[in-house]
Structure formats: structure tokens, C-alpha cells
Amino acid sequence: MMKQQELMMVGRLGAPHGIRGWMKVNPFTDDREGIFEYRPWLVTRGGVQQEMKVLDWRRQNNGLIVRLEGVEDRDAAAAYTNCDISITADQLAELPEDEFYWRDLIGCKVVNTQGYDMGTVSGVLETGANDVLEIKANPKDAFGKRERMVPFVPEQFILEVSKSDKLITVDWDPSF
């Protein structure tokens, strides 16, 4: 029996392209073509996950298309429309000490420099200028907050991230 591994969704299959089993792919990776660096893909169809091998891929107009092993015609490709593409977390590249995957930040407790417990990171938003931590405040927050948004700007607002302790120290006023 295979040990349960943490999975990361990296994209979604789209509509068929042509009659030979090609289909559109919608990557969720920073570098769109980076999705093809991960192998094998774990494709979820009808609640069942299957390992699939990428046989070929190419750019098509402004998008990307892919041909997967075992998908030989348009009908077979259509059966995979809107199926999620995942990889195991151990396929992700090791990051430098001062960089983090969003999954590393979600669930971390956030405290400010005065030791005030601001809550727990529930999500991360990409804004263009910088990422923003979505922090779910504690139920009995002294400032009546339900949620806080703290820009993920190292050294200015984010002073320390301890992945091992699941703790982020921020320079942020809890009343914001």
C-alpha cells in the first residue's frame, strides 16, 4: 500500500485540441512552461487519481497543449477536460532559506514584536507588488478583528519566519 503523500495542484487540463488526443493545459505555476518540469503528473478524474506520463507538449497561440500517454483521440482527451493536475510535494525544488512556498506559510501562527497573537495564516494573496498574508484572527481578538491582511515584505513587516515552529513574527499594529 502506498504511503499518503502531500499533493500540490499545479494545473488543470482543458478542452481537447484536434483529433489526436492533444488537450489544452492551464498551469498554475509561476513560469507557465514550468509545469512540464514535473513528472509524473497525478491527474484526478471522477475522484480517482492516476499517474500520467507527458509524451509531448508545445505552445499553441497564447496557450499550451499537451499529449498524455494513453490518450489517443479527441474523445479520450474530452474525458479529461477540467481534471486537476497534481504532483507530490517532494517534487518541489528546495528553496533558499529566505524564500517560502505559500503552503509553508498557511497555518503559521502570527505574532507581532510586542508578542500579541494576531491569529493564523489562512491564505496568501498575490497582488503584483507583493504577496499579502490573510490572517484569521483569534475568536476573542482584543481589537474585534476577524481577519487581518499583512503585506509579505521581509525586513519591513515580516521580521522572521520559522517553518519548524510554524511561527511568523511581524512588525504590525494589531489594531489594523
Side-chain angles (χ1 to χ4, degrees):
M1 189 166 133
M2 189 174 172
K3 185 177 106 176
Q4 184 70 15
Q5 295 184 7
E6 183 181 3
L7 299 179
M8 306 297 303
M9 191 181 342
V10 293
R12 183 166 290 135
L13 293 169
H17 179 82
I19 61 171
R20 298 210 168 130
W22 288 83
M23 59 193 104
K24 296 176 184 176
V25 62
N26 303 303
F28 301 155
T29 52
D30 283 341
D31 171 18
R32 292 178 50 78
E33 294 177 9
I35 191 170
F36 300 110
E37 294 174 14
Y38 302 114
R39 301 200 182 185
W41 284 359
L42 300 171
V43 178
T44 304
R45 183 175 87 168
V48 177
Q49 198 170 75
Q50 65 186 96
E51 194 172 289
M52 298 194 79
K53 181 179 178 184
V54 174
L55 295 177
D56 201 4
W57 69 273
R58 67 177 185 240
R59 289 177 211 87
Q60 183 70 29
N61 297 327
N62 291 331
L64 299 168
I65 58 173
V66 66
R67 194 166 56 94
L68 300 174
E69 186 174 59
V71 181
E72 305 295 329
D73 59 34
R74 184 175 186 83
D75 291 337
Y80 287 96
T81 300
N82 294 323
C83 289
D84 293 336
I85 304 165
S86 299
I87 61 169
T88 58
D90 60 1
Q91 289 178 272
L92 296 171
E94 285 292 321
L95 295 176
E97 196 170 304
D98 61 340
E99 291 183 24
F100 309 94
Y101 287 111
W102 285 5
R103 71 183 185 99
D104 297 331
L105 303 174
I106 294 172
C108 285
K109 180 178 175 181
V110 180
V111 297
N112 73 0
T113 52
Q114 290 77 38
Y116 186 82
D117 183 351
M118 311 251 315
T120 304
V121 178
S122 60
V124 184
L125 299 173
E126 185 176 9
T127 65
N130 53 265
D131 294 337
V132 175
L133 297 179
E134 292 179 280
I135 302 168
K136 182 179 180 200
N138 298 312
K140 295 183 180 179
D141 187 80
F143 295 92
K145 300 285 184 185
R146 288 187 172 160
E147 182 179 66
R148 292 183 170 83
M149 305 292 240
V150 176
F152 195 85
V153 180
E155 298 177 14
Q156 184 176 359
F157 302 121
I158 307 298
L159 304 180
E160 183 180 358
V161 176
S162 173
K163 288 194 282 189
S164 60
D165 295 331
K166 298 286 286 174
L167 181 68
I168 300 173
T169 305
V170 298
D171 185 4
W172 196 256
D173 184 334
S175 64
F176 283 180

